[in-house]
Amino acid sequence: MNKALIILFLFISHLGFSQTNEPVDLKVGLVLSGGGAKGLSHIGALKVIDSLGIRIDYIAGTSMGAIIGALYATGYSGKQIDSIFKDVDFDAIISDDLPRKAKTFYERDNSEKYAVTLPFKNFKLKLPSALSRGQNTLSLLTNLMVHVSDIEDFSKLPIPFFCIATNIETGEAVILDKGSLPQATAASSAFPSLFQPVIIDDRMLIDGGVVNNYPIDELKAKGVDVIIGVDVQDDLSSIEDLNSAPDILIQINNYRTIHDMKLKSVKTDVYIKPDISDFNVVSFSQGKAIIDNGELETKKHVEALNTILSKQIKKKKATAQIKPMDSILIHAINIKGNPNYSRAYVLGKLKFKSENKISYNTFQEGVNNLAATSNFESVIYQLQPSQNSEGYNMNLTLKESQQNTYLKLALHYDDLYKSAALINITSKKLLFNSDVLSCDFILGDNIRYNFDYYIDKGFYWSIGLHSRFNQFSKDIPAASILTPEELINIDVNKLDVNVQDFTNQFYLQTLFTKDVSLILGAEHKHLKTETETILTNVSQEETTFENSSFLSVFGQLKLDTYDDKYFPKEGFYFNGNFHLYLYSSDFNDNFSEFSIAKATFGYTTKISKNFTVNFTAEGGFKIGEDSNRSLNFALGGYGNNFINNIKSFYGYEFLELSGNSFVKGLIVLDYEIFKNNHINLAANYANIDDGVFDTGEWITSPDYSGYAVGYSIDTFFGPLEAKYTWSPETKQDVWFVNIGFWF
């Protein structure tokens, strides 16, 4: 009887104790707010949480908090996420700058000279919905989360997860807890005006921070016992900091979110608010400092965090052993949203087929190739593990662009063409789905134009039309344009020469690979060269040296794997060109059939992360009679987009050296002292004369040399460059300045 009473007493005591104490095993929720670059503080917080051994049972996040929270939920540790973000080029992510090799040769030429591109429709400018399509963001997230691509219910992730987005049509908060995890996190972080909205289930979604930047109530509803929260939102700015329209707009948006946080912060059991007042939403370059601040602030709450830990059953977090995907097997490619572009066109841009194992780089390059066409507003893809075998099915959802006409603008200054403003009209799908018409109008000291029409047939023979008018005036040595006999009779050293070039081409182009093209075509060229330095005796008008039309056929073989046109860090370049001139209107009555062959080879490699060396070798020669000198080679000056056979050469003025054949070597050392700022040293050597290859002079020591030191800044409207050059032969120094893209 006594034993029975004792047992009953102990049972009742235990029951009462269990009702008055915390649960034996706390279920811990983690909520991470949005804040752009300031959200990198979350990584520091996760590193501390991991070091303590706290088990997170549910994660909720918004915007950057959604991205970092999702990665943690898929199995990455805080340290792993830290390593990931150290290697991310946020400038490329934000600008949606696709790799140069993803573009065709025509697309490269058509995109590497414009600073501003604006949609244009019905004679009205149409501002883009955002600066970036978010293509690089989605690609990065898909790659990082491919190991959980078979999970569509986010509660089934290693750590259950959901994030918040905003329905831009209704203004309502949307909980994303099912579907494609990369798409969900991309939608939650689609900052208005920076990234275009993400379409999920026919809903247009943007950054969840617009309506709910700290989803603590939604997380509590999941049944968690305690909540750890990391808040990286802005505080209200003082009047001294409200200096611009964006500052004021951000302040207005912060009224609501800050008011909400006063209510939500008291609901948070462990409220962590790092000091990120010195940073803003795009301070990605200061990522390390932001992460460190998050870690430092979280360590201040170690006591509270340890209290939570003491009430958890010890379970080691299963950190994912995630390896970079080297290769991928695609079983099927399912395509939706391409009514005007055939499946063959899409697959041709992807450049890989189903049932083939390819490198992941090849896979990503294919997606970039498709996005780089600009024929699609969005290229969304999801990788789903194949049900029957190893590998994935690719579900590709395209949204064709409804915008076909664009206004493009640029500004430029150099020492040859002087100041210039470029206005471009580009129209796509004019006659065919794959055609592009582009017309440049160049206004300034030298009025010019470029016209291009191109029908892109991919790896088949594409068709192109090109027309240009180019002109410039420059003082050049008289010997560059006059024969020795003419120089005897004219007592001048320099001539103020005006050059006009009107060129029209019809050509066919085929691609052997993405970076190798062959062009065959026919060309009409009218060339006029005149000066007022020498006047005729009769009319006192300018003297005309050339005023002839030429007809030719040509071929061009081009290889270009440079990663950047203006500041390459790696890659090869080759451009071989052959022209056969068959006919001339023969202004000087001295034409006979001739040919010109020339080639350029370049190689760029990185010595270190910021130190690059570029080697370039060039050469060319004329075949046939040399009576007509109008298209001879000319060296001197600095430039990137010269016409005909004019070549740059440091240490000499424009067109200062001339001949019917030449060889040239150039080495450039480039050091990026800090982002987009370059110091460069250059040395070039050349032999140029008539018959350089006939006499063997091309392999002798160089007759001409020049050296340069320069400072360059890579900006959104093109390079800003200043170069000091010097030649030991002439003992002269020459300055060259360039502003903006070359056109």
Side-chain angles (χ1 to χ4, degrees):
M1 181 67 179
N2 290 337
K3 288 183 178 180
L5 289 173
I6 291 171
I7 292 171
L8 180 63
F9 175 79
L10 291 174
F11 174 76
I12 294 171
S13 299
H14 176 75
L15 182 63
F17 181 83
S18 65
Q19 290 175 341
T20 59
N21 287 276
E22 297 288 340
V24 175
D25 187 26
L26 291 183
K27 187 176 182 181
V28 181
L30 176 67
V31 58
L32 304 176
S33 80
K38 294 179 292 184
L40 297 176
S41 290
H42 298 318
I43 300 173
L46 291 174
K47 289 166 70 176
V48 176
I49 290 171
D50 283 345
S51 69
L52 297 175
I54 296 173
R55 188 189 72 248
I56 302 298
D57 299 291
Y58 223 117
I59 301 175
T62 298
S63 196
M64 181 60 80
I67 293 175
I68 293 172
L71 292 174
Y72 195 72
T74 66
Y76 289 98
S77 68
K79 285 185 177 180
Q80 287 175 318
I81 300 173
D82 190 1
S83 298
I84 289 170
F85 278 85
K86 283 179 180 176
D87 295 331
V88 172
D89 184 350
F90 286 101
D91 286 345
I93 293 291
I94 294 172
S95 66
D96 221 13
D97 186 20
L98 294 171
R100 187 170 184 261
K101 61 183 178 182
K103 304 173 184 177
T104 65
F105 282 104
Y106 182 84
E107 290 165 345
R108 294 175 194 180
D109 293 339
N110 199 249
S111 64
E112 294 175 330
K113 59 182 178 180
Y114 307 114
V116 177
T117 298
L118 298 171
F120 189 78
K121 190 173 184 178
N122 297 328
F123 300 99
K124 295 180 180 179
L125 288 177
K126 180 183 176 184
L127 295 178
S129 60
L131 295 175
S132 171
R133 292 182 295 173
Q135 189 65 49
N136 286 340
T137 302
L138 182 62
S139 295
L140 174 64
L141 295 174
T142 300
N143 186 17
L144 294 173
M145 300 175 184
V146 71
H147 61 287
V148 293
S149 57
D150 59 327
I151 300 175
E152 294 191 354
D153 184 348
F154 302 166
S155 67
K156 305 298 184 184
L157 291 168
I159 302 175
F161 168 83
F162 70 86
C163 60
I164 303 295
T166 302
N167 187 326
I168 196 172
E169 185 178 10
T170 65
E172 297 175 340
V174 178
I175 296 177
L176 298 175
D177 56 5
K178 291 182 174 62
S180 166
L181 186 60
Q183 288 183 46
T185 50
S188 180
S189 58
F191 191 85
S193 75
L194 187 59
F195 295 107
Q196 74 176 20
V198 177
I199 307 296
I200 298 179
D201 297 332
D202 297 324
R203 297 174 298 184
M204 184 179 288
L205 305 179
I206 60 171
D207 196 312
V210 175
V211 292
N212 189 353
N213 203 36
Y214 194 79
I216 188 171
D217 295 324
E218 292 77 8
L219 183 59
K220 278 184 176 291
K222 298 296 182 181
V224 297
D225 300 309
V226 295
I227 291 179
I228 302 169
V230 186
D231 176 19
V232 295
Q233 298 180 89
D234 284 313
D235 292 322
L236 290 176
S237 300
S238 65
I239 191 170
E240 291 82 8
D241 297 324
L242 298 173
N243 301 315
S244 66
D247 292 334
I248 295 173
L249 290 173
I250 292 173
Q251 180 89 335
I252 294 171
N253 184 68
N254 286 343
Y255 291 153
R256 179 192 50 76
T257 58
I258 291 174
H259 174 73
D260 287 348
M261 280 308 305
K262 292 179 180 178
L263 303 175
K264 292 180 176 181
S265 61
V266 298
K267 301 177 183 179
T268 311
D269 298 282
V270 182
Y271 181 64
I272 302 169
K273 188 171 178 59
D275 181 9
I276 35 77
S277 56
D278 294 334
F279 312 102
N280 57 48
V281 294
V282 291
S283 298
F284 292 102
S285 61
Q286 298 170 280
K288 184 179 184 304
I290 298 173
I291 293 171
D292 290 344
N293 278 16
E295 188 171 353
L296 181 65
E297 183 62 30
T298 306
K299 286 180 177 179
K300 296 177 182 179
H301 300 267
V302 166
E303 185 177 348
L305 294 172
N306 277 327
T307 300
I308 294 174
L309 177 65
S310 68
K311 298 176 182 180
Q312 283 189 308
I313 296 176
K314 303 299 186 291
K315 295 179 182 178
K316 188 176 180 181
K317 180 178 183 284
T319 303
Q321 299 298 315
I322 304 166
K323 297 180 180 179
M325 184 177 288
D326 301 325
S327 61
I328 186 170
L329 175 61
I330 303 294
H331 284 293
I333 303 175
N334 306 311
I335 306 172
K336 297 191 302 182
N338 57 315
N340 294 308
Y341 294 91
S342 66
R343 177 179 175 87
Y345 174 85
V346 174
L347 293 178
K349 292 297 180 182
L350 290 174
K351 292 201 307 179
F352 56 80
K353 299 179 180 178
S354 57
E355 302 299 338
N356 284 323
K357 193 170 187 177
I358 57 176
S359 71
Y360 193 83
N361 286 337
T362 300
F363 169 80
Q364 193 57 64
E365 286 174 4
V367 175
N368 289 339
N369 294 342
L370 189 60
T373 65
S374 299
N375 292 326
F376 306 98
E377 287 185 14
S378 63
V379 179
I380 307 296
Y381 65 95
Q382 185 177 3
L383 296 174
Q384 290 186 324
S386 175
Q387 300 257 340
N388 302 321
S389 58
E390 180 186 359
Y392 299 88
N393 295 328
M394 181 183 185
N395 298 325
L396 183 62
T397 302
L398 305 173
K399 183 181 180 183
E400 292 185 3
S401 175
Q402 301 302 308
Q403 185 61 51
N404 297 324
T405 307
Y406 301 88
L407 174 67
K408 303 181 180 183
L409 307 170
L411 296 173
H412 181 78
Y413 174 85
D414 67 71
D415 297 291
L416 181 63
Y417 291 104
K418 304 302 180 182
S419 60
L422 170 62
I423 302 172
N424 170 273
I425 298 293
T426 295
S427 182
K428 308 181 75 171
K429 295 193 287 189
L430 195 67
L431 301 176
F432 306 94
N433 282 334
S434 59
D435 70 0
V436 181
L437 184 146
S438 174
C439 193
D440 293 336
F441 301 95
I442 302 168
L443 308 176
D445 292 307
N446 293 281
I447 297 176
R448 295 169 283 154
Y449 87 84
N450 293 295
F451 171 87
D452 287 282
Y453 179 74
Y454 187 72
I455 304 174
D456 187 1
K457 297 292 185 179
F459 287 94
Y460 299 102
W461 285 96
S462 301
I463 302 171
L465 295 172
H466 172 69
S467 178
R468 77 161 188 239
F469 175 76
N470 192 294
Q471 65 175 345
F472 61 85
S473 296
K474 194 70 180 176
D475 282 340
I476 65 173
S480 299
I481 197 167
L482 299 177
T483 65
E485 293 78 14
E486 292 170 331
L487 285 171
I488 295 174
N489 300 322
I490 301 174
D491 188 23
V492 293
N493 294 321
K494 284 194 172 184
L495 301 174
D496 184 9
V497 174
N498 178 260
V499 178
Q500 295 182 359
D501 181 289
F502 176 53
T503 298
N504 304 282
Q505 295 178 335
F506 170 81
Y507 62 90
L508 303 174
Q509 176 177 286
T510 188
L511 302 178
F512 297 111
T513 68
K514 190 72 175 177
D515 298 311
V516 181
S517 72
L518 173 65
I519 296 177
L520 301 175
E523 177 184 275
H524 162 263
K525 179 185 293 292
H526 184 84
L527 190 62
K528 184 177 182 179
T529 308
E530 58 188 11
T531 182
E532 293 183 352
T533 307
I534 307 171
L535 303 179
T536 62
N537 294 327
V538 180
S539 62
Q540 295 296 302
E541 295 178 348
E542 66 274 358
T543 298
T544 301
F545 300 109
E546 182 64 90
N547 191 14
S548 300
S549 291
F550 299 86
L551 296 180
S552 66
V553 293
F554 67 92
Q556 181 184 27
L557 181 65
K558 190 173 182 180
L559 162 71
D560 186 359
T561 65
Y562 280 168
D563 58 349
D564 188 90
K565 179 178 180 179
Y566 297 99
F567 300 97
K569 291 187 175 181
E570 57 185 7
F572 291 90
Y573 180 87
F574 175 81
N575 190 353
N577 190 294
F578 180 83
H579 268 76
L580 172 60
Y581 291 89
L582 301 170
Y583 169 80
S584 172
S585 59
D586 204 7
F587 173 79
N588 291 306
D589 197 27
N590 61 354
F591 175 80
S592 59
E593 185 178 299
F594 67 94
S595 303
I596 291 179
K598 57 185 177 182
T600 302
F601 172 80
Y603 171 67
T604 297
T605 185
K606 289 190 291 185
I607 304 300
S608 65
K609 182 180 179 181
N610 296 328
F611 186 38
T612 305
V613 59
N614 172 267
F615 303 93
T616 303
E618 294 184 80
F621 55 88
K622 179 186 285 187
I623 304 172
E625 295 292 329
D626 193 37
S627 53
N628 189 297
R629 301 175 57 87
S630 302
L631 292 169
N632 275 8
F633 298 97
L635 302 184
Y638 170 68
N640 193 273
N641 196 33
F642 292 148
I643 63 171
N644 298 331
N645 300 313
I646 300 173
K647 304 289 182 178
S648 64
F649 194 76
Y650 295 126
Y652 288 80
E653 289 282 4
F654 292 93
L655 288 78
E656 189 168 348
L657 308 173
S658 64
N660 68 11
S661 54
F662 84 103
V663 290
K664 170 192 165 184
L666 169 68
I667 180 171
V668 179
L669 306 177
D670 184 284
Y671 187 77
E672 190 173 12
I673 55 175
F674 49 90
K675 193 169 183 63
N676 295 329
N677 287 256
H678 302 254
I679 293 177
N680 33 72
L681 303 174
N684 54 197
Y685 308 92
N687 283 330
I688 182 168
D689 207 339
D690 293 342
V692 165
F693 290 89
D694 296 331
T695 62
E697 191 179 353
W698 68 281
I699 56 174
T700 63
S701 59
D703 294 330
Y704 306 99
S705 62
Y707 304 90
V709 57
Y711 190 88
S712 306
I713 306 174
D714 190 8
T715 73
F716 78 94
F717 58 88
L720 303 181
E721 301 177 287
K723 296 181 182 290
Y724 169 79
T725 73
W726 179 78
S727 172
E729 292 85 40
T730 62
K731 310 297 182 186
Q732 67 178 5
D733 51 10
V734 186
W735 278 92
F736 298 111
V737 175
N738 168 64
I739 301 174
F741 295 119
W742 291 89
F743 49 77

